[in-house]
Each structure stands twice: as structure tokens, then as C-alpha cells.
Amino acid sequence: MECTSSVYLPTFHMGSSIFLWLFLIFSVIFSPVSAKHSVTWTYGVNYGRIANNLPQPESVVTLLKAAKINHIRIYDADHGVLQAFKGSGIEIIIGLPNEYLKEISIGEDRAMNWVQENVQAFLPDTRIRGIAVGNEILGGTTIELWEVLLPAAKNVYSALYRLGLQHTVEVSSPHSEAVFANSFPPSACIFRPDVAPFMKPLLEFFSQIASPFYINAYPFLAYKNDPQHIDINYALFKDNRGIYDAKTKLHYDNMFEAQVDAAYAALDKAGFSKMQVIVSETGWASRGDPDEAGATVKNARTYNRNLRKLLAKKKGTPFRPKMVIKAYVFALFNENLKPGPTSERNFGLFKPDGSIAYDVGFTGLVPSAAPPSILVSFKEIAGQGWLRWSYLLVSTAWAVVLL
């Protein structure tokens, strides 16, 4: 197995008033989204596409802009999606799918080809800011992928380094809760003994290149698996007694922060106390099978609304108060072709027509309370493009000024 690792070692007149209005409107419409090292972001969304009824990527850009969602993750490097996001200012983490890991781990030349075709070709107009190498590899059932994860990540980083993109595009790999031996209380969390020999060298590499630790944290799954012993209010950020961690003397009033701090505790014990934890997936299903406790629209609304409020505070966790919590919600849409239980197909925040699946604070593209005369359908906006839609807004503003 060829692997070169040396390279990874080395941010008041009437006329004047009218023009001011127009300037402000164009500034809002066409201003780029915050750059990588500007104002701290906390809220992102996973844009999964295992479905046959989703809008075109161009329409998704329109939807995200309307919802002011500026950070997304996708699970591949689909060129149609990357092209559609060109000039949008939305920052994207793309995925190197699990099935490519073996090939990419063999040599840097294959990683270089992949990076050139799927990353460099779209920069800088499409803001690719990260590559997730595999998804939930360690702790999974395919042991042979455990062995190739680190070589693949190193080769991807090496390609970025040789292209001068190592400071623009981050290399990471998201994990599931399966990498932990236990996570309760948070301070007791450690990596599984069988995972640790693979995890530690991966963390050493990510520490050297200043990459965070990505974890998929789902209070929904924890509650679904043990509804008799878990207070659903604790899982939904609602009023509850919470838990007390005797070792750290910290109180937790919601499971989400407890899961994040459990990851921090495991990193601490492994010798990586300075590594940041970012939640790569979290969410709540709005529908499930009869044996999937808690999978309701009401609970999904409550979880996602309260999560959004928490992230908007831009604060840390009880264990890491200075580390601002960042999370990507799963998911943008329901994905009707996903295998598995019913819940897997019902995590979406939006419907394919651009309307909200339930109210978490977004308006969608077609607010239900808006007067018919000013409603513009999702397909109309997507079809006309942002330039024509912007012209409509400017015309409306002009009329307002004249009045």
C-alpha cells in the first residue's frame, strides 16, 4: 500500500434616497455569504439526494438562500450540484463515498485525479470548503474499510497540498456513536477498544492538519432505542430534570450537548483535548414505524426548532464552554428512496415544492400566510433565476420608495 505522508507536516435628496434603496437591495441580494474565516457560523444542513422527487439543484440553491442557510454537506461530489452552487456563496463539504476509499488509498495519483476533477475544477466559484473522506467507517461492519481510511485521507490531503489547496479545503471523516464504548455519563466516554487502534492514528493525522472531529449525534436514535429510560423532554430540549455528571460536576439539561461533551471526553482521554468537535449530522424523524418511538411531526418540530435556537446563541457546551457548537441538521428533504425503517425517509425540513415540512422558524419559498397577489411559486423562482427574481424585488422597492 503506497502512502506518502511527508507533505502534510510542513481569512438627502429624493434621488439619492432612491439610489440608496436600490444599492441596499442589490447588496442584500448579491452579497456573498460569509467567507471561511469570517463571522462564526453554527448552523448547516445535510443535502441528501436518495430520492426521485426532489427539485433540481438550481432550485435548491434558491431555497437555501431564501432560508439563509449558508453551509451544507453533500454525500458525494456530483458535478450537477457543484455547478448549480457556483456563485451562490454557500459553503459546501463534499463527500468521498465509502466505495472509493480502497482505490484512493492505493496511491496519490488516484487521489490527485479525484481532487482535480471534483474539487479544483469547481474552485473558487463553488465554495468547496471540505472533503469528508468516507462516512461512519470506524465502528461499522466493513472492517476492511477501517484499514484504508487513514491512507485515503492522507492521499487526499497530499493532493490538496500539492495543488496549494490545503488551507482552503479541509479533510475530515465523520463518525457515528458506534465508535464509543459508552457515553453515559459524558465524562465516562471512551473509544471502543477495537476502534481505538485505528482511531488514534487518524486523530494524530487530523491534529497535525488542524481538522476537527466530526460526529453524527442523534438524541432521536437514543430515545427510540430506550424510550422507557430516557425522558423525551431531555431529548427535545424541553424542561426536565436533566442529568448530573458527578466526575465533572456538570449538569446537562439536554441530550444533544451531553453527546457532544461525551465526544470531547473521549478525545481528552485519547490525548486530543484541543481538537474541536463538530456535529456532522443530527435531526429528528417526523414519521416512523410503530416500533419507532417518538417519530412524530410534533417532536421533529420541537427538536429542530430548539436546536436552531441553541445554535443561534453561539455558545459552547458545559464541558467546553469556549468551543462554539456547530452542527449540520439532517436533512434538507425527506428522501423517499432510502432503505431501512420509515424514519430513514422522514428527516426532511422542507418539502420538494419548497414549502416547510413543519415550522422551525424558516418561511420557505411560498409562505402559507402570504396574500395570493404576491406569492411566487418555487418553480417560477427557480425557472426565472435569481436575476429576474431580483428585478422583481427591485421593482417592488422602487414602487415603495415612490409611494
Side-chain angles (χ1 to χ4, degrees), residues 362-379:
F362 296 124
T363 59
L365 286 176
V366 188
S368 58
S373 59
I374 64 171
L375 281 179
V376 181
S377 75
F378 185 46
K379 290 183 178 180

Side-chain angles (χ1 to χ4, degrees), residues 3-282:
C3 177
T4 303
S5 59
S6 59
V7 294
Y8 67 80
L9 296 174
T11 181
F12 284 49
H13 294 289
M14 172 62 80
S16 300
S17 298
I18 292 174
F19 282 111
L20 178 60
W21 271 88
L22 294 177
F23 173 77
L24 291 174
I25 291 169
F26 273 102
S27 296
V28 171
I29 294 171
F30 295 110
S31 62
V33 179
S34 60
K36 183 179 180 181
H37 300 294
S38 57
V39 179
T40 301
W41 69 273
T42 58
Y43 188 93
V45 174
N46 287 277
Y47 171 24
R49 306 188 318 281
I50 306 177
N52 61 7
N53 61 348
L54 300 184
Q56 292 299 309
E58 292 80 5
S59 301
V60 174
V61 173
T62 305
L63 174 61
L64 292 170
K65 280 180 169 286
K68 298 182 180 179
I69 296 173
N70 303 326
H71 294 78
I72 69 164
R73 295 177 70 246
I74 59 176
Y75 293 89
D76 53 20
D78 184 86
H79 287 194
V81 172
L82 297 178
Q83 182 63 32
F85 279 78
K86 179 179 180 180
S88 68
I90 296 171
E91 300 195 351
I92 307 173
I93 293 179
I94 64 173
L96 175 62
N98 295 357
E99 58 265 28
Y100 290 100
L101 293 188
K102 290 183 183 177
E103 178 183 357
I104 296 298
S105 71
I106 293 174
E108 289 185 19
D109 56 336
R110 303 189 183 194
M112 175 63 77
N113 290 337
W114 191 90
V115 170
Q116 287 177 323
E117 293 175 6
N118 298 290
V119 180
Q120 187 184 40
F122 295 93
L123 292 172
D125 294 334
T126 300
R127 292 194 175 184
I128 300 173
R129 291 296 179 260
I131 301 172
V133 180
N135 185 50
E136 298 188 339
I137 298 297
L138 300 184
T141 57
T142 311
I143 305 298
E144 58 186 337
L145 292 183
W146 296 21
E147 300 174 349
V148 300
L149 177 58
L150 178 56
K154 285 184 175 181
N155 285 342
V156 169
Y157 181 80
S158 176
L160 292 170
Y161 186 92
R162 289 163 59 189
L163 295 170
L165 299 175
Q166 76 276 17
H167 298 303
T168 302
V169 182
E170 169 192 274
V171 177
S172 64
S173 185
H175 307 285
S176 73
E177 295 277 341
V179 298
F180 302 130
N182 62 291
S183 59
F184 182 85
S187 63
C189 188
I190 59 172
F191 290 110
R192 276 171 37 185
D194 60 331
V195 168
F198 297 90
M199 180 65 79
K200 188 165 184 178
L202 184 69
L203 293 176
E204 288 174 348
F205 172 63
F206 285 156
S207 179
Q208 290 172 346
I209 65 174
S211 289
F213 180 84
Y214 283 87
I215 186 70
N216 296 341
Y218 284 93
F220 165 71
L221 296 180
Y223 176 77
K224 183 187 77 166
N225 293 331
D226 193 10
Q228 289 79 24
H229 298 99
I230 295 177
D231 182 355
I232 193 168
N233 292 325
Y234 176 63
L236 294 174
F237 304 94
K238 296 177 72 175
D239 290 339
N240 67 94
R241 294 176 59 184
I243 67 163
Y244 177 73
D245 192 323
K247 181 178 180 180
T248 58
K249 296 180 172 56
L250 295 173
H251 180 265
Y252 292 88
D253 60 14
N254 68 82
M255 185 185 291
F256 175 78
E257 288 184 311
Q259 288 182 330
V260 174
D261 274 355
Y264 274 123
L267 289 172
D268 222 6
K269 294 183 181 71
F272 301 93
S273 59
K274 295 183 179 180
M275 184 171 287
Q276 181 183 19
V277 172
I278 295 179
V279 177
S280 39
E281 288 184 18
T282 189

